[in-house]
Amino acid sequence: MREALVMALFFALSLYLARREGLLRGRARSFAAAAALALAFALRWCMLDYRTLDYENFLYPWVEFFRQNGGPGALRYSVGNYNIPYLFFLALFSFTEYPDLYLIKYLSIAFDVLLAWGVQRCLSLVTESAGRRLGAYVATLLLPTVLLNGALWGQCDSIYVALAVTSLYCALSRRPRLSLALITLSFAFKLQAVFFLPCFLPLFTSRRIRWRELWVPPVVYLAAVSPAVLAGRGLWDTLTIYLAQGGTVGSGLNYNSPSLYAFYTGGGDEAALGRAGIVGAFLFCLVLLGVLLWLRDRCTERILLCAFALCVICVPLLLPHMHDRYFFGADVMSLLLAFLSPALLPLPFLCSFASLLGYHAYLRMRYLLPMRYGAVALCLAAALIAFYMGRELSPRPRRDKKV
């Protein structure tokens, strides 16, 4: 009963935000939105009791460790393979007798709502259509990987992606310090936020963010990890957690991920192939940034949104050692672009198909289809975005106003 009440509160919050954003215009639209949002949180409620091996083998033991060693005070120890901000929440959860499984999932669901809000705010930069924005808002909460990631799997990918997407909105709406603070928090929660980072450089060159504001990230990051320092952990040890965790990603080229390494069948020099992927990802970022800098006078909000989507698809597509959930940002950004233009409508289907192959492999412990099918889908998605960007960047006259 308590869990149903919590989901009802999340539903009320999501409905309030939609109303506050002016998305609920007319009785028919309001009723349809309410029904869709009710479905989104009803589905989450049905998933709350599901326990995965990740919870049993990692999250639950970590919460128990905090419970037996003084809660946040135990942050002075090296616990788990997450950074301090997420571990701080787990430490707080250890203070209550309320089932930590639910609390872990509630945290992710709360950021699902922020994620949906951030997606529709990004869309508001390029369209005044309340219908499109409402569609993106509801669709984000119903996107299969968003549903499964937090409410079923108990993972926290919605946290770092919600912060990254909201950071992007703040940057494009000329709120540079808040943007830098949010992307830093995103990185502090999860290393995979680096997939978003390459396209922040054009935000500096286009003066959406000023170089003099670079003091924000170190200050925010230090504040984010300060609970561990205050608990007695060494400052250098705390600041270099990601370096210390470098070996925890595994040595395999692919972990149920639809990356290009899904085509690898063994027999080659894995170390050399891994280095080739890293070089490939670096060269991709270099080329993309070069194009954006060269044509910076034509870099509208549409182009920058596409560039971010291309980054979060192609960087993990090329890198080795990727895991099944690393395309979460790609799923979300592809959905955003689908509401940007009808020409990009296939994107969320392609990206979600690729991600769901990895989700199925973990959650069902068997492959539905070969993971290389997902890699092909992501390549098609990247090609579609690149074609759209090329058309938008062409010197022909085009409309830059909102539609």
Side-chain angles (χ1 to χ4, degrees):
M1 185 63 183
R2 290 179 301 178
E3 292 72 45
L5 178 59
V6 173
M7 290 301 105
L9 291 174
F10 278 128
F11 163 72
L13 174 62
S14 66
L15 203 59
Y16 166 76
L17 291 175
R19 183 181 180 85
R20 189 171 179 271
E21 290 293 320
L23 305 181
L24 305 180
R25 299 176 183 175
R27 287 187 178 180
R29 179 180 293 179
S30 298
F31 178 80
L37 291 172
L39 174 63
F41 291 102
L43 289 171
R44 284 169 169 81
W45 176 59
C46 294
M47 298 175 184
L48 289 178
D49 288 320
Y50 189 85
R51 295 169 176 250
T52 66
L53 290 176
D54 277 351
Y55 171 76
E56 297 286 355
N57 295 334
F58 301 104
L59 296 175
Y60 174 72
W62 296 344
V63 174
E64 281 299 304
F65 179 87
F66 287 121
R67 184 172 287 122
Q68 295 169 16
N69 292 276
L75 289 170
R76 64 183 180 274
Y77 302 113
S78 178
V79 183
N81 58 359
Y82 278 81
N83 205 353
I84 302 304
Y86 188 67
L87 293 175
F88 180 71
F89 277 104
L90 297 186
L92 291 180
F93 296 161
S94 71
F95 279 138
T96 177
E97 294 301 318
Y98 194 84
D100 54 82
L101 174 67
Y102 296 152
L103 294 173
I104 289 168
K105 293 186 176 186
Y106 291 162
L107 178 62
S108 294
I109 292 170
F111 277 90
D112 287 350
V113 178
L114 176 62
L115 178 62
W117 182 86
V119 167
Q120 67 84 25
R121 288 309 299 168
C122 283
L123 201 60
S124 73
L125 298 170
V126 293
T127 179
E128 295 174 350
S129 170
R132 283 198 202 181
R133 291 168 57 199
L134 178 61
Y137 182 74
V138 172
T140 301
L141 288 168
L142 286 170
L143 193 67
T145 48
V146 175
L147 272 170
L148 296 172
N149 188 278
L152 186 80
W153 203 335
Q155 295 293 343
C156 62
D157 296 275
S158 64
I159 299 179
Y160 87 89
V161 175
L163 292 169
V165 169
T166 309
S167 168
L168 175 56
Y169 163 69
C170 290
L172 297 180
S173 58
R174 302 304 196 275
R175 300 175 191 177
R177 291 181 183 177
L178 182 55
S179 173
L180 289 174
L182 289 171
I183 194 61
T184 304
L185 282 176
S186 175
F187 176 77
F189 268 97
K190 202 156 190 187
L191 180 60
Q192 283 71 48
V194 297
F195 300 154
F196 285 90
L197 292 182
C199 284
F200 267 80
L201 181 58
L203 298 179
F204 284 93
T205 58
S206 62
R207 297 186 178 181
R208 289 174 171 88
I209 300 177
R210 302 282 184 170
W211 293 104
R212 63 173 178 264
E213 287 151 347
L214 278 177
W215 61 269
V216 174
V219 171
V220 172
Y221 189 81
L222 184 60
V225 300
S226 61
V229 179
L230 294 174
R233 190 166 183 170
L235 178 60
W236 179 251
D237 184 33
T238 303
L239 293 176
T240 58
I241 281 178
Y242 283 140
L243 294 178
Q245 293 174 353
T248 65
V249 296
S251 58
L253 290 176
N254 187 25
Y255 293 91
N256 298 326
S257 166
S259 73
L260 289 182
Y261 290 97
F263 289 99
Y264 177 68
T265 57
D269 185 340
E270 292 193 4
L273 287 172
R275 290 192 295 269
I278 294 171
V279 171
F282 176 78
L283 290 177
F284 161 79
C285 290
L286 203 62
V287 171
L288 178 61
L289 293 178
V291 171
L292 294 177
L293 294 176
W294 179 37
L295 301 174
R296 58 185 174 273
D297 293 337
R298 303 178 198 168
C299 282
T300 62
E301 281 72 14
R302 287 174 177 268
I303 293 299
L304 289 171
L305 289 173
C306 288
F308 273 90
L310 203 55
C311 260
V312 294
I313 291 174
C314 291
V315 171
L317 181 67
L318 293 166
L319 286 176
H321 318 308
M322 295 295 98
H323 289 243
D324 31 37
R325 293 173 285 107
Y326 286 8
F327 289 92
F328 189 88
D331 300 339
V332 172
M333 290 302 298
S334 68
L335 179 68
L336 194 162
L337 294 191
F339 285 90
L340 184 71
S341 168
L344 299 174
L345 188 59
L347 287 178
F349 298 98
L350 292 168
C351 292
S352 293
F353 166 74
S355 284
L356 286 172
L357 290 181
Y359 278 50
H360 186 277
Y362 176 83
L363 295 171
R364 303 293 293 176
M365 293 299 169
R366 61 183 176 84
Y367 291 107
L368 177 66
L369 293 170
M371 292 304 303
R372 62 181 179 273
Y373 289 14
V376 171
L378 290 173
C379 289
L380 291 174
L384 181 57
I385 297 172
F387 176 79
Y388 180 84
M389 288 179 67
R391 190 178 66 181
E392 288 290 307
L393 285 168
S394 64
R396 61 182 176 79
R398 66 183 188 281
R399 295 186 303 169
D400 287 330
K401 65 181 181 179
K402 294 181 181 181
V403 294

